[in-house]
Amino acid sequence: MRIKRLGLIASILLLLPLFGCWDRRELNDRLFELGSGVDLIEDGKILMVGQFMIPAKSGDTGSGEKQSYFIETGTGKNAFDGLFDMQLKLSRRITRAHRHNIYIGEKMAESGISNLLDSVTRDPDSRIRSDIWVVKGGTALEFMQMTFPLEKMPAIALSKSRQIIGKKIGNSVLEILIAENVEGNGPTLPTVELFYDRKLRKKTFHVYGRAILNRKQQLAGYYDAMESAYRLWVIGETKRIPITVQMANGQGTFSVEIQRTTCQIRMEASSGQVNIEVKLKGGAIVQESNTSWDLRQTNDLQTYEAELNRHVEAAVSSIIQKAQKEFKVDVFLFGRTLSRQHPEQWTALNSRWEQAFSGAKVSVHSHVKIKQIGLQGPPPNHDKP
């Protein structure tokens, strides 16, 4: 009997950590914020925007099309002050433990987000695994006021969009904190763009690409979706990339998916001049061919590979040059590579790496092989010229 009692007590003790609250009062006094927005407004003040889940009413069966969220704002001298102003308008305490995304208006991003990151990392109720998005050409308030038919909470829609296209979610805050301590590295953030769809006659949005921040955490510019994909290839954070190639002399287009992508980087620095060699490899699968070439023929297949590698070399060279001349930010971890390959040379360049990177000579070499062409050679009803 004594053993049974001890077993019962032990079971109760093990179950205690599974209870989230000790009573209903605490939960009923909380308001869950699933998305936040931050905008820079007049007089340098901060506008805080919150998207909150409306608590379910007692006995609610979940039927009907009632809106499941509402939006509130607060204004202040900084993020904390704006949050306090927002809290004064609400009857429940704001809880950010379930927040998925933080949206930043373009003007706010241009002025810098270091103070915002300070408030996020100091708040014990804030999730460190959240995504920070820059709203290209708009404000956080504009985006958060938009409706999204597929999700009851529009603030979390972009997280699902990123998952579908194979991107990691919930790591933007961590990435930017890590980037601060990586040699010569410039942080980036995912970007959403608002635009008017003329065919559907409505305002909508899509995942645009990446926002590039300088070392002061100020917006320096953008990479679109394809530019962002090429960057991931260079830094080794993707294993597949879709590419559509325009053949030379207007002879049509073809599309491939490059898989098992790899990148090797060799760097040298002499007398302040940095030389960077980028070698890209992968295996391509032809997804669509709108040309008259017969891929069953060795010469035609080699022509495809040559056009594909020409396209990749030009595209990657372009995004690196854009970072050098327009952004003046190293978003390819070249500084880290130099510090590992040539520690003494990095020590001499560390303090002026942005200038050295901007003037570096870069060569890009692509060695992608076409591994699969599908079940046919030339497309139907196409004659070779």
Side-chain angles (χ1 to χ4, degrees):
M1 182 64 71
R2 184 176 180 182
I3 295 176
K4 290 183 178 180
R5 288 179 179 177
L6 290 175
L8 179 61
I9 294 173
S11 299
I12 294 174
L13 291 175
L14 289 173
L15 288 173
L16 286 178
L18 300 179
F19 293 97
C21 302
W22 288 101
D23 54 33
R24 295 184 59 189
R25 181 176 300 175
E26 180 184 353
L27 197 58
N28 287 342
D29 288 339
R30 292 184 177 273
L31 184 62
F32 292 98
E33 182 182 41
L34 298 188
S36 296
V38 188
D39 283 319
L40 183 65
I41 56 177
E42 66 278 357
D43 300 328
K45 291 185 177 181
I46 302 297
L47 177 69
M48 299 296 295
V49 188
Q51 190 171 107
F52 300 97
M53 180 172 60
I54 297 177
K57 296 180 180 180
S58 177
D60 191 353
T61 61
S63 60
E65 298 295 331
K66 295 181 180 179
Q67 186 167 286
S68 60
Y69 68 94
F70 71 97
I71 293 174
E72 190 55 82
T73 65
T75 305
K77 299 177 181 178
N78 55 29
F80 178 80
D81 197 26
L83 181 63
F84 178 71
D85 182 56
M86 184 192 301
Q87 181 66 79
L88 294 177
K89 305 173 184 178
L90 301 169
S91 61
R92 299 189 181 196
R93 183 178 180 84
I94 298 174
T95 300
R96 290 178 155 179
H98 298 278
R99 180 173 60 183
H100 293 267
N101 296 306
I102 304 170
Y103 301 100
I104 302 175
E106 188 172 69
K107 288 185 178 180
M108 182 69 198
E110 289 173 346
S111 69
I113 65 169
S114 58
N115 291 338
L116 173 64
L117 281 175
D118 184 84
S119 68
V120 170
T121 55
R122 291 181 188 275
D123 183 2
D125 195 35
S126 181
R127 292 181 61 182
I128 196 68
R129 297 193 64 82
S130 298
D131 275 325
I132 301 179
W133 294 78
V134 174
V135 182
K136 183 178 185 295
T139 67
L141 179 60
E142 285 179 304
F143 173 76
M144 296 183 69
Q145 285 179 320
M146 296 185 67
T147 58
F148 193 73
L150 297 179
E151 304 297 335
K152 291 184 178 180
M153 295 293 297
I156 67 174
L158 288 180
S159 296
K160 294 189 176 182
S161 296
R162 293 194 77 198
Q163 280 183 314
I164 290 174
I165 61 178
K167 305 299 182 183
K168 294 180 180 179
I169 64 170
N171 62 345
S172 294
V173 175
L174 285 175
E175 282 182 346
I176 199 169
L177 293 176
I178 292 172
E180 291 181 343
N181 300 304
V182 175
E183 296 91 341
N185 182 39
T188 69
L189 293 173
T191 303
V192 58
E193 182 182 34
L194 307 180
F195 66 97
Y196 182 78
D197 190 321
R198 295 183 181 277
K199 294 181 179 179
L200 297 178
R201 297 180 180 180
K202 69 173 185 177
K203 195 169 185 179
T204 185
F205 62 86
H206 64 172
V207 177
Y208 179 81
R210 303 290 291 191
I212 312 302
L213 306 181
N214 59 26
R215 297 300 292 178
K216 296 181 180 180
Q217 296 181 347
Q218 298 169 324
L219 179 64
Y222 298 98
Y223 277 147
D224 64 24
M226 277 309 304
E227 291 173 328
S228 301
Y230 283 120
R231 171 183 169 269
L232 290 177
W233 188 354
V234 174
I235 65 177
E237 290 190 4
T238 186
K239 292 299 180 183
R240 55 195 301 178
I241 177 173
I243 294 176
T244 296
V245 178
Q246 175 70 54
M247 297 285 284
N249 302 321
Q251 296 180 357
T253 62
F254 67 94
S255 298
V256 301
E257 182 180 86
I258 302 178
Q259 300 180 349
R260 298 177 182 177
T261 57
T262 62
C263 179
Q264 295 179 337
I265 299 173
R266 293 183 59 185
M267 300 189 64
E268 294 288 344
S270 178
S271 301
Q273 177 61 54
V274 178
N275 297 311
I276 305 172
E277 183 181 18
V278 179
K279 293 184 178 180
L280 303 165
K281 293 183 179 181
I285 300 175
V286 178
Q287 302 288 345
E288 183 176 347
S289 177
N290 297 315
T291 73
S292 56
W293 300 90
D294 187 349
L295 297 181
R296 296 170 299 184
Q297 305 298 320
T298 302
N299 291 339
D300 289 359
L301 183 62
Q302 290 176 345
T303 299
Y304 258 49
E305 286 184 346
E307 290 291 324
L308 173 60
N309 285 299
R310 173 193 60 80
H311 178 89
V312 169
E313 290 175 355
V316 174
S317 296
S318 176
I319 65 168
I320 294 176
Q321 186 176 35
K322 190 174 182 179
Q324 289 180 291
K325 306 305 180 184
E326 182 178 336
F327 305 148
K328 301 186 184 301
V329 178
D330 176 12
V331 293
F332 300 96
L333 304 176
F334 291 143
R336 184 182 69 178
T337 303
L338 182 61
S339 70
R340 293 177 177 178
Q341 294 182 357
H342 306 285
E344 294 182 359
Q345 296 174 357
W346 169 251
T347 300
L349 292 171
N350 186 7
S351 61
R352 55 184 184 88
W353 175 241
E354 284 79 7
Q355 293 81 1
F357 167 69
S358 296
K361 294 181 179 180
V362 181
S363 60
V364 179
H365 307 284
S366 176
H367 303 282
V368 177
K369 295 291 184 180
I370 295 178
K371 300 296 185 180
Q372 297 181 31
I373 65 170
L375 299 179
Q376 61 184 13
N381 303 320
H382 277 71
D383 296 324
K384 186 174 179 178

